[in-house]
Amino acid sequence: MRLSTSSIHYMGLPIEQACRRISELGFEAIDIWSAHQGCPHLDDVLERLGPDGLKEMLGKHKIELFAFSTYRGGYARYAELLGRAGGGVAVQGSTKAAKPEELTSAMKQFIEGLKPLLELAEKYNSFLAIENHGNALLNTLDSLKAFVDVNKSKRLGIALAPYHIQTQKASVTEAIRICGRQLLFFYAWQHFPKEKQLPGLGPTDMTPWIKALGEIGYRGYVNPFMHGHLEPDEMSAHLATARDYLNDCCAKTGQNLKT
């Protein structure tokens, strides 16, 4: 399996130290966060390292760039940096929730409004992934269906957060299948408190999730994730558990998700 994880797990460390820890844990790629909850990493890369410095740092630690998470600041601010660093996925949210009877028209309007960002994605050889979230337009299984039906751009897709699917008592495997080839980013993230959000620490059996990812031909990284700030050594220990657990899940499916 191809695994990445997010720099915000080490938001108290400089980006170089976050990359070193993520690489030493055996993760193949990194998702670098902008200033959500004060995470300094992406703005530091933008202002201090630039694309060449970012590529040099990632090369030193033998880690790939998977994504920029741009919930704060937005994709446009970081589009050129992402493109000149080699391209990747930019993750951001949608907009306010719509009534069920207005869902399709609201989704059409939302995706139409993304055209300037998709032009940037085309220019900088990158992709824009919209995350599902509580009380947002992209939230329910029906909204995922509406998104997939309306979206015709190869540069646009979904960043699926099972945490928010679970809050609705909905099926994560069904959500994965609905997304299909439009799934660009997958959080291995469950709806439980504190470190139990991570794979292998909370009680969710993620083997069906991994199996479903293989069935749809998911080509991105699986990204174990949690919100909350732990000391770096504690976070590393938990991420190691998550890594081993996800590899065990993959082995149980009899699949090899490496591409």
Side-chain angles (χ1 to χ4, degrees), residues 14-15 24-25 40 54 67 101 112 114-115 136 149 152 157 159 161 163 166 184 194 199 201-202 226 231:
I15 185 60
E24 288 175 350
L25 283 166
L54 175 57
E101 63 272 18
E112 181 70 20
L114 293 176
K115 279 188 174 180
D149 288 344
K152 305 303 179 185
Y163 180 101
Q166 288 183 321
L184 300 180
K194 299 181 180 179
L201 281 86
M226 65 169 283
E231 290 299 315

Side-chain angles (χ1 to χ4, degrees), residues 20-161:
R20 177 178 60 80
R21 283 180 174 262
I22 289 169
S23 177
E24 288 175 350
L25 283 166
F27 290 95
E28 298 172 68
I30 188 170
D31 160 41
I32 303 177
W33 274 62
S34 65
H36 180 79
Q37 296 184 346
C39 183
H41 294 148
L42 190 50
D43 284 323
D44 182 42
V45 170
L46 179 68
E47 296 165 7
R48 179 173 62 88
L49 295 180
D52 292 337
L54 175 57
K55 288 191 288 186
E56 181 180 353
M57 178 187 67
L58 295 175
K60 176 181 177 182
H61 295 292
K62 298 180 180 179
I63 193 168
E64 299 292 328
L65 175 62
F66 176 32
F68 286 174
S69 284
T70 63
Y71 295 104
R72 289 287 300 274
Y75 166 55
R77 173 174 169 81
Y78 308 101
E80 183 176 358
L81 173 66
L82 181 59
R84 291 181 60 198
V89 177
V91 182
Q92 65 179 51
S94 57
T95 187
K96 64 181 182 180
K99 297 177 181 178
E101 63 272 18
E102 299 172 355
L103 181 57
T104 299
S105 60
M107 193 65 71
K108 287 179 179 177
Q109 183 177 3
F110 171 67
I111 290 178
E112 181 70 20
L114 293 176
K115 279 188 174 180
L117 297 184
L118 297 178
E119 289 172 0
L120 285 175
E122 184 70 33
K123 179 179 180 180
Y124 293 113
N125 192 27
S126 297
F127 301 86
L128 182 63
I130 307 301
E131 188 224 8
N132 60 295
H133 202 281
N135 300 313
L137 178 62
L138 195 64
N139 181 19
T140 63
L141 296 186
D142 285 343
S143 69
L144 293 175
K145 291 175 184 175
F147 182 99
V148 169
D149 288 344
V150 171
N151 175 35
K152 305 303 179 185
S153 172
K154 294 181 180 179
R155 294 288 176 181
L156 178 64
I158 293 169
L160 188 64

Side-chain angles (χ1 to χ4, degrees), residues 160-213:
L160 188 64
Y163 180 101
H164 298 299
I165 299 295
Q166 288 183 321
T167 63
Q168 305 167 45
K169 310 297 183 185
S171 168
V172 173
T173 54
E174 184 178 354
I176 290 169
R177 293 184 181 113
I178 290 169
C179 293
R181 299 295 286 189
Q182 294 192 34
L183 183 61
L184 300 180
F185 189 109
F186 184 78
Y187 296 91
W189 182 24
Q190 58 192 307
H191 185 237
F192 284 90
K194 299 181 180 179
E195 66 272 10
K196 290 185 178 181
Q197 297 169 65
L198 286 166
L201 281 86
T204 300
D205 179 7
M206 297 188 184
T207 306
W209 301 2
I210 302 303
K211 183 178 180 182
L213 291 173

